[in-house]
Amino acid sequence: MQELEWDSHHDALATDRDKHEQTLAVLKAELANETTSTGVTLDKNGKKAHENKISSCSGRLATAIKGITENAQVASRHIANMMGPYGTNFASIVHKFHTEPTTFTKTEYEVNLLPCMKSGSALMYPLEVYEDDSINVTQLDTTDYKVQSVVQEVTHEVNEVPAKTYTSVVSCLNKLLIEKAGYGTAEKQRDYLMQNLKFPTSYVFTVREWGDLIKSISKHLPHMTSYKDDPEHVWQPYCEQTTLHVDE
């Protein structure tokens, strides 16, 4: 799948999405505060310019998200076609995963009203959150702080239908592997290779070439199912070793 560059295309689009999400949050916070992040007051023209920037940034964000979804759909369709008789099972797993709510951790940028530190009678820039247990939440402007809109990167647990991305499609592929092969195929393959691979005496191989061959085989182990992903085995000590490559 790496040869088809679905993963690198997803990474590039995800980087753009994150950048636009952060920029959009900053623009909204500045417009709410009527002041830029460097302390420049926004007049009527400045506010209008910010509104235009927000509109443009929202469009770029929507384009990045659309690209991520389309890339995932192409990857999902081609993977299903390549899987032959298992393609229908895979497509069913992908559909179910992206239509039913599930609980997962999500990181996003939020604009929150928070007290920000003052220097004398003026706000300090860039804005710094004023932290004090004695803050009176009903007072928006004091000699020590002034409540402002601040951008925060927040990670929290949500229960919702996950967005369709290349990463989520790959996780569905792993679900199919577990459904059809169960847990532990990586450990079984590793043990088999360690017990049966012998340095060939009838062929001309250098030690380096043989080592490179073993490494080439072992790099596929992380893509197989592992006991460390099985809830029934996750606490067992040997599960901590399942990510080892053959050459280790």
Side-chain angles (χ1 to χ4, degrees):
M1 290 189 290
Q2 290 182 339
E3 290 79 3
L4 296 172
E5 299 185 349
W6 292 322
D7 54 346
S8 58
H9 188 43
H10 165 79
D11 291 343
L13 289 169
T15 298
D16 287 343
R17 176 200 60 198
D18 295 343
K19 178 182 69 177
H20 296 324
E21 283 181 345
Q22 183 177 20
T23 300
L24 185 60
V26 170
L27 288 171
K28 287 181 176 180
E30 290 180 341
L31 185 59
N33 295 331
E34 299 184 352
T35 308
T36 68
S37 55
T38 57
V40 178
T41 301
L42 294 176
D43 56 15
K44 183 177 180 180
N45 292 332
K47 293 177 184 178
K48 184 64 178 178
H50 256 56
E51 290 173 353
N52 292 336
K53 289 179 181 178
I54 289 173
S55 178
S56 297
C57 189
S58 297
R60 290 192 294 271
L61 175 59
T63 299
I65 293 174
K66 181 182 179 182
I68 289 173
T69 303
E70 290 177 345
N71 180 64
Q73 290 172 337
V74 171
S76 176
R77 185 166 58 250
H78 280 274
I79 292 172
N81 290 337
M82 290 187 292
M83 297 185 74
Y86 294 110
T88 301
N89 300 82
F90 175 69
S92 176
I93 291 174
V94 171
H95 175 74
K96 182 177 180 181
F97 185 78
H98 295 100
T99 54
E100 297 181 359
T102 186
T103 301
F104 60 96
T105 300
K106 185 176 183 179
T107 300
E108 54 190 351
Y109 294 99
E110 294 183 352
V111 178
N112 297 313
L113 290 172
L114 296 171
C116 295
M117 295 176 62
K118 278 186 172 182
S119 177
S121 59
L123 280 166
M124 294 174 59
Y125 289 94
L127 295 175
E128 293 186 33
V129 177
Y130 182 82
E131 298 180 357
D132 193 314
D133 295 336
S134 62
I135 291 177
N136 185 344
V137 294
T138 62
Q139 292 183 297
L140 303 181
D141 192 356
T142 70
T143 55
D144 296 317
Y145 68 83
K146 181 179 180 180
V147 172
Q148 293 283 278
S149 294
V150 178
V151 177
Q152 290 184 306
E153 187 177 16
V154 180
T155 300
H156 50 109
E157 192 174 83
V158 298
N159 185 267
E160 61 187 38
V161 176
K164 193 172 188 178
T165 67
Y166 174 75
T167 304
S168 67
V169 168
V170 171
S171 70
C172 290
L173 182 58
N174 190 55
K175 289 177 181 291
L176 177 64
L177 288 173
I178 293 172
E179 179 182 297
K180 297 300 180 182
Y183 293 100
T185 55
E187 287 81 4
K188 293 173 184 176
Q189 182 70 7
R190 181 193 61 182
D191 293 344
Y192 174 83
L193 293 173
M194 294 180 70
Q195 293 170 11
N196 293 279
L197 271 182
K198 308 296 181 183
F199 188 81
T201 57
S202 58
Y203 298 95
V204 181
F205 269 111
T206 65
V207 173
R208 178 178 293 277
E209 289 172 337
W210 185 241
D212 289 342
L213 177 61
I214 294 176
K215 288 182 179 180
S216 178
I217 295 173
S218 72
K219 73 180 181 181
H220 296 287
L221 294 180
H223 301 294
M224 305 174 91
T225 62
S226 172
Y227 283 127
K228 69 183 178 68
D229 299 317
D230 185 353
E232 295 184 5
H233 296 85
V234 71
W235 298 112
Q236 298 186 21
Y238 68 82
C239 289
E240 298 177 2
Q241 305 300 319
T242 57
T243 55
L244 292 178
H245 287 188
V246 173
D247 57 304
E248 296 177 356

